[in-house]
Amino acid sequence: MSCAAARVSVVPFRIPRERRLLRAQAFDQRPEVAAFGLQGRYDDDSDAVVGFTSISACALGGGGVEALNGGAIAAGFDAACVLAGLAQFDADVVVTLSLHVQFLRLAHACPGLEFRAQVTRSSSRFCFVQAQLRDRHDPAALTLATAVATLAPR
């Protein structure tokens, strides 16, 4: 099943493009984002994208495979979902109320790994977000993991 086929309808971001660009820049300056080697951007009016600037050895799993560990994947999903929430709410801080991750395949460490998040429902108090982990350098590749989250402005 392709990523597009698995999508439910998405809600366009409420925050105007110019403000989203500023929020993405501020997001990249956050210590926890930098610590994981992540960087965020908005691709259009409904996709928040977080990719790696570098992948630390601490983010790799054991067992002799060059794949991301589950904690690093969950942190990437959390970052992408928060970035989506920042484009939805007129608030400088968005908190994750719940995050459910489903690991589908090994996420081999490579420069093309990216987390894409979309808002699926929203109110003034919370929003629901869906997200996917894929390798952008291999469009034919299957989704490696998915997540759903609930976020709220603070």
Side-chain angles (χ1 to χ4, degrees), residues 100-116:
H100 175 80
V101 177
Q102 184 174 17
F103 304 99
L104 304 173
R105 325 182 148 63
L106 279 178
H108 292 282
C110 67
L113 289 179
E114 67 180 14
F115 301 88
R116 299 184 75 84

Side-chain angles (χ1 to χ4, degrees), residues 5 8 13 21 24 28 46 50 55 58 61-63 68 81 101 104 108 122 124 127 129 133 137 139 141 144 147 149:
V8 297
F13 294 135
L21 294 175
D28 290 343
S46 62
V50 171
I55 299 176
C58 295
L68 294 182
C81 291
V101 177
L104 304 173
H108 292 282
S122 183
S124 62
C127 70
V129 177
L133 172 60
H137 292 152
L144 303 170

